[in-house]
Amino acid sequence: MKRFLFNDGWQFRQKVNPFDELSGAVAPYVDVFVPHDAMIERERDPQGDRAAAYFPGGTYEYRKTFAVPEDLEGQRIVLEFEGVYRDAAVYINGAFAGHRPYGYSTFTIDADEFLRPGEENVIRVECRNGQDSRWYSGAGIYRDVWLHVGSQVHIPPHGLRASAPDIDDTGAIVEVAVQVANAGNRRTTVDVAVSVVDPSGAEVATGVVPVTVSPNSSSLSRQRLYVRAPKLWSAEHPVLYTAEARITRDATTLDDTVATFGIRKLQVDPVNGFRVNGETVKLRGACIHHDNGILGAATIPAAEERRVRLLKQAGFNAIRSAHNPASVALLEACDRLGMFVIDETFDMWAAPKMDRDYSLAFPEWWERDVEALIAKDYNHPSVLMYSIGNEVTETGSPAGGLIGRLLAEKVRSLDPTRFVTNAINGLLAVMDDAKAIAAQRGGDADDATGINTLMAGPIDIMNEISASPLVTEKTAESFGLLDIAGMNYVDSRYVLDKELFPNRVIVGTESFPTNIDRTWALVTENAHVIGDFTWTGFDYLGEVGLGRPQYLAEGEPAPTAPYPWIAGWCGDLDLIGERRPASYYREIVFGLRREPYIAVRRPRDDGKVLSAGPWAWSDSIGSWTWAGQEGRTLGVEVYSDADRVELTVNGRVIGSAAAGRVNRYTAVFDVPFEPGTLTATAIRDGVKAESFSLATATGQPRLAVTVEDAGATEQHLFARIAVADSDGTVFTGADRAVEVEVTGPAELVALGSGNPAPRDTYATARHETFDGRALAIVRRAASGRVVIRVSAEGCEPAEAGLDGTA
C-alpha cells in the first residue's frame, strides 16, 4: 500500500462532556502538529502525583477534517497510529471505528468502510491518562500517524519482512516474506517479485513466485535469496540493505513496498557470551524512558536520533526501551547510527502497579500487543532481543511462570531470529519476605511497601536477599523460560549462577549508576554476563528526585522531592542532553577514555551532610567557575583509570593521589578555590600521561547560541544556549532567564534546561538557564532562512541563522 504521513491538519482540545456542551461550556479546538503531547503544556499541580512529575491526568480529543478523492472509491484505506496514549478510541464521520487500550502499541484502523470519497471527512480520536503510569507518560497522539492506500489486492502495512537466517564467509540467505491480502470476493493469483538492494543502490538478488489468495483472506510468500559477500550490520558498521516487493497481475503492478534491514548473525552462549557476526560483544547499555525531555512524550524523529547520537558519543552501544515498546523513529535511528536495542513489552502483566494501569487490559490484549511489537521491530537490525516485562510482580510465582511462558513462546512464534529476556527483580519476586527481612534489620515491614523504598537501602542488604536460596527457588521458572536471564539490580547472582545454572546467560537489564565500576568488572570477567544497562542513560520526566542528592542534618529523614521537581535526575545525560560527571566516569570505566575528568562539588553553608541513594551521583559539576568562593575549600573529584593522578591549580601542585580500579577510579582532593586553571594529570608507571583541565570563566558574561548540525532538510532544529565568556567557557553560576525569538518560516516548539526542578514551563519563549545552559527546539514550517535570536538581562543578544528547506 502507498503510505502517506498524516500528521498535518489536526486540532486538539481537552474533552468536554457533551452534556456540558449543550449548556454552552464549549472548549475550543486549537491547531496542533502531530506528534503532539497533550500533557506537557498543562499546569502542574504541586499536590499531584510525583510519579507523573506533578502533571494532572485528563481526557483529550483530536480531530482532523480532510477530503477523500473520488478516485479512491473501492480502494483499501487504512489509518495507522504509531502510538496514542492511551485508551484510544477512533471515530470516522461519527461512527466508532476502533480502539486500543495500550498507549505504546502501533495499531491500524480499516477506514474505507467509514470514509466518503468525494466529500469532506472527519476523524476524531479520544484518549485519556491518569493513575496509569509510574513515570511521566505524556498523552495524546504522541507518535506519527500514517494513511495507507491500496487496491483490493495489496501488501498490508508491515507486510514485508526481511531476515538473514543463514550467513557464512561467502554469502547470506536473505528470506523475504511478503503478505498478500485480497479484499475482493474472488480468488486471485498474482506474481510476487522481490529484490535485495545494497547500500550503493545495486540490485544484488531477485526472485519471483506466483501466489494464490482466497477471497477476503491473505497468503504469505516466502522467498530465499542468495546475497554474495554481504556487508554485515554491526554497531561499528551499521550497513543497511533494502528489500523491495512488487505484486503484479497480467503485467500490471497492483502494489509495491520497500523496507530497510540489516544482514547480521546473532549468537549467545555461556562460554562465548553474546556474539554479533562471530565477534563477542559486551553491551554497554543505557535504559531510557520514552520522553524526549523538554519536548515531553512527542516522538519527534530528529529528537530520537539526537538522543541516540548523544548516548553513543557518551560511550553506550546499547539501549533498553524501558518499560514499553520503542518508537519506530528511535529504532530507525539505532539502525542508522549503530546502536543495539532491547525492546520491552510491558511494565506489568495481570497484577497492577497503579490503580488504572495496563493490567486492566492485559488479559484480553497482550497477544495483540505482542504482535504489534514484533511487526514493528522485525526489519530493524538494531533489535537484538525482546523483553517480555519489567519487574513484573508475578515472576516469583507459578502464575508468573505460566504467563511468562505464554509471552515467550508467542514472541518466538512470531520472530525466531531474536532472543527473549525479561527484566526480573529478585527482590520484587520475594517482596513479602523482603519486607520481613527489612523489619528484622530495624524497620517496620508495613512502612517498606514500595520496591524503590527497599532498593534505596544499603546495596549489600539488597544483594544478600537477591542471592538468597529463596530468590533462587522462586525465580527458577521465570528465568528458565528465557533465552537470556535479565536481572534488575541482581549482580550478586552473576558469579553464583555460573555454578548453580551453568547454561544460564545473564544480562544486567537495570543497575545502579553509582555501582558501575563493580558491575562492569563482573561483566568483563564473566563470559556468561553479556552486558549492563544503567538506570538511566538519559534523564527523564517523572519519578521525580529518584537520583536527587540531599543534604540533611543528623537524624533528619530524607523527604520526597517536592514540586517543582520534574525529573528523575539520575541520567548520565540531563534533560537537554548535556553530559553529567557520571557520564565521563562511566566512559573511563568502560575503557573508552584515557584522559582524567574533574568534577567539583557544589559548596554549601548550612552544615548539613550529603545523603544520596544508589541512583544519586555526587552533587558535582565539571566547572572551576565559583564567583564569590575565592579561598573556600572545595571538594574536587578526579576520575581516572591511571594508578595515580596529580592535581594542579595554575601550575602549582596541590597533590597526588591513588586512583584506578582499586580506588573505584576516583581520587578526591580538598582545594582552596582560586580563579584560573585546574588540571588533573594521569600518572602511569610513574610517568605523567594524559591531562584534563577546567578553566574559570572570565570577563563579562555573554550569550552564545549554536545550532546543532541537523542537515539542510531537517524539520526540527536544536539550538544550544550558553552564558559564557569570550573563549566559550560557561559561567555555571550566572544563571538567568533567556528569551528566544524565532524569525522566518519556523516556530519555537520548546525551551528549557537540564534543571530537574524548574519553575518555568517548556512551552513559553522564556526560561532560566541551569548551570549556564539551555536548549531551544525550533520547527521549520517552510523553506527559507530561519534566525534564532536569544536575549537576556545584562547580556548582548546573540543569534544563529540557518538556511534550508522544511
Side-chain angles (χ1 to χ4, degrees), residues 131-216:
Q131 298 180 19
D132 56 17
S133 178
R134 298 187 299 113
W135 56 87
Y136 177 89
S137 64
I141 306 177
Y142 72 102
R143 291 180 177 173
D144 284 332
V145 184
W146 299 90
L147 183 70
H148 300 262
V149 179
S151 62
Q152 292 292 301
V153 180
H154 60 277
I155 303 170
H158 307 288
L160 171 59
R161 296 184 176 186
S163 62
D166 190 358
I167 304 170
D168 61 25
D169 294 337
T170 60
I173 294 295
V174 174
E175 184 179 275
V176 181
V178 181
Q179 184 181 2
V180 182
N182 178 14
N185 56 10
R186 292 186 178 181
R187 184 177 66 190
T188 187
T189 300
V190 297
D191 287 327
V192 178
V194 297
S195 61
V196 175
V197 179
D198 73 11
S200 71
E203 193 173 70
V204 293
T206 62
V208 58
V209 297
V211 174
T212 300
V213 193
S214 298
N216 296 303

Side-chain angles (χ1 to χ4, degrees), residues 14 64 95 115 231 340 357 479 483 513 522 530 681 693 706 750:
Q14 285 188 248
K64 176 170 178 164
L115 294 172
K231 298 178 176 66
F340 299 120
D357 64 21
F479 280 132
D483 302 314
L522 290 170
I530 65 173
T681 302
S693 297
T706 305

Side-chain angles (χ1 to χ4, degrees), residues 267-276 278-282 505 526-530:
Q267 298 168 280
V268 68
D269 64 67
V271 176
N272 299 289
F274 200 93
R275 286 181 287 172
V276 179
E279 298 291 329
T280 297
V281 172
K282 293 292 188 179
V505 178
N526 291 277
H528 71 292
V529 183
I530 65 173

Side-chain angles (χ1 to χ4, degrees), residues 135 152 159 199 204 237 269 298 310 312 337 344 398 403 406 463 537 564 612 712 735 738 769:
W135 56 87
Q152 292 292 301
V204 293
H237 304 285
D269 64 67
L310 293 176
K312 186 161 187 176
L337 299 179
E344 199 151 80
I403 296 173
L406 285 172
N463 270 330
D735 287 315
V738 295
T769 61

